[in-house]
Amino acid sequence: AQTVTQSQPEMSVQEAETVTLSCTYDTSESDYYLFWYKQPPSRQMILVIRQEAYKQQNATENRFSVNFQKAAKSFSLKISDSQLGDAAMYFCAYRRSLNYGGATNKLIFGTGTLLAVQP
Amino acid sequence: SQTIHQWPATLVQPVGSPLSLECTVEGTSNPNLYWYRQAAGRGLQLLFYSVGIGQISSEVPQNLSASRPQDRQFILSSKKLLLSDSGFYLCAWDGRINSPLHFGNGTRLTVT
């Protein structure tokens, strides 16, 4: 069974600085998707970034980028120029490729990293 | 554009009472629908998913059930709540293959 591990329960960063959140996963599959979701105090789950395992190029979305190391099964999130609004719980999630069967978005989540942004 | 509505936002229920949480999606047809639960200090756990009306798959054994009476309506229920049912419940949908998962605002359930 696939698992997702986030070993940093809490992180803190100064405003305008850069922070990296760690995520590792375990799977025997070669084709899958990885996600980072943000959950602010409002508890809404917001998709931050998505990475397809067959793509070697790391995904980027404005100030958010990932370091995807497939062999190491590592998927870290880098937030550049941190802003106060980035303060939230961040979840890493895994989803198997639909090529393995099924048509549903059954995500497996890590336990999250609570990010605090200091002014 | 598509929107997802989930209610109520918060709910306090005594042990042994029934539960009904509702979720509806607008602006799309035939979505996949999901119920996730987030316990305190933990990640999200998939409880149920549905690929069509009347089609429900359960991921974990539990005190809860789900139903999909209409294409864009997903209901989470219980006949008798347990203390362990407390948590934050999130409904979500996606538009089939390779589309991302979109979440509702969630329901905070406290069983006393």
Side-chain angles (χ1 to χ4, degrees):
Chain A
Q2 296 84 17
T3 58
V4 176
T5 302
Q6 293 178 251
S7 59
Q8 306 156 313
E10 298 181 13
M11 293 280 285
S12 181
V13 63
Q14 291 291 128
E15 196 174 4
E17 296 294 308
T18 296
V19 64
T20 298
L21 308 183
S22 301
C23 173
T24 59
Y25 58 94
D26 188 27
T27 183
S28 59
E29 298 165 346
S30 60
D31 194 11
Y32 48 86
Y33 293 82
L34 295 165
F35 305 83
W36 278 99
Y37 277 87
K38 169 185 177 181
Q39 188 179 41
S42 66
R43 304 299 294 270
Q44 172 96 41
M45 290 289 285
I46 302 166
L47 177 65
V48 175
I49 202 164
R50 178 171 75 168
Q51 175 78 43
E52 293 147 328
Y54 65 86
K55 289 186 177 180
Q56 294 188 355
Q57 186 174 8
N58 290 324
T60 62
E61 286 288 341
N62 300 314
R63 298 183 294 107
F64 298 87
S65 62
V66 298
N67 183 5
F68 175 48
Q69 301 289 328
K70 191 173 184 179
K73 296 180 182 176
S74 171
F75 183 60
S76 60
L77 175 70
K78 185 173 80 172
I79 306 174
S80 304
D81 186 26
S82 296
Q83 300 175 0
L84 295 177
D86 295 333
M89 182 74 85
Y90 285 83
F91 290 98
C92 179
Y94 169 102
R95 194 199 84 194
R96 69 188 322 207
S97 168
L98 298 177
N99 293 328
Y100 291 101
T104 52
N105 232 327
K106 294 165 65 174
L107 294 177
I108 299 170
F109 284 85
T111 52
T113 296
L114 183 61
L115 177 66
V117 180
Q118 307 300 328
Chain B
S1 64
Q2 302 90 359
T3 56
I4 179 169
H5 303 281
Q6 186 180 342
W7 68 94
T10 59
L11 190 60
V12 180
Q13 292 284 99
V15 169
S17 64
L19 172 73
S20 181
L21 303 182
E22 190 163 343
C23 171
T24 59
V25 180
E26 295 179 356
T28 187
S29 59
N30 201 24
N32 291 326
L33 296 171
Y34 307 80
W35 280 111
Y36 279 86
R37 177 169 60 197
Q38 183 179 20
R42 303 182 68 177
L44 277 69
Q45 181 185 38
L46 179 62
L47 301 177
F48 300 96
Y49 67 91
S50 172
V51 299
I53 296 174
Q55 300 179 61
I56 308 296
S57 297
S58 175
E59 287 295 292
V60 293
Q62 58 199 300
N63 182 43
L64 303 169
S65 62
S67 61
R68 184 170 177 174
Q70 299 180 44
D71 180 44
R72 291 169 288 175
Q73 183 185 28
F74 205 24
I75 297 172
L76 184 68
S77 304
S78 173
K79 292 181 179 179
K80 290 185 178 181
L81 283 169
L82 307 172
L83 287 175
S84 58
D85 292 325
S86 292
F88 189 65
Y89 290 83
L90 285 154
C91 181
W93 75 275
D94 71 56
R96 304 294 175 181
I97 295 177
N98 287 333
S99 63
L101 198 60
H102 304 278
F103 287 88
N105 289 333
T107 296
R108 180 182 298 279
L109 172 66
T110 303
V111 182
T112 60

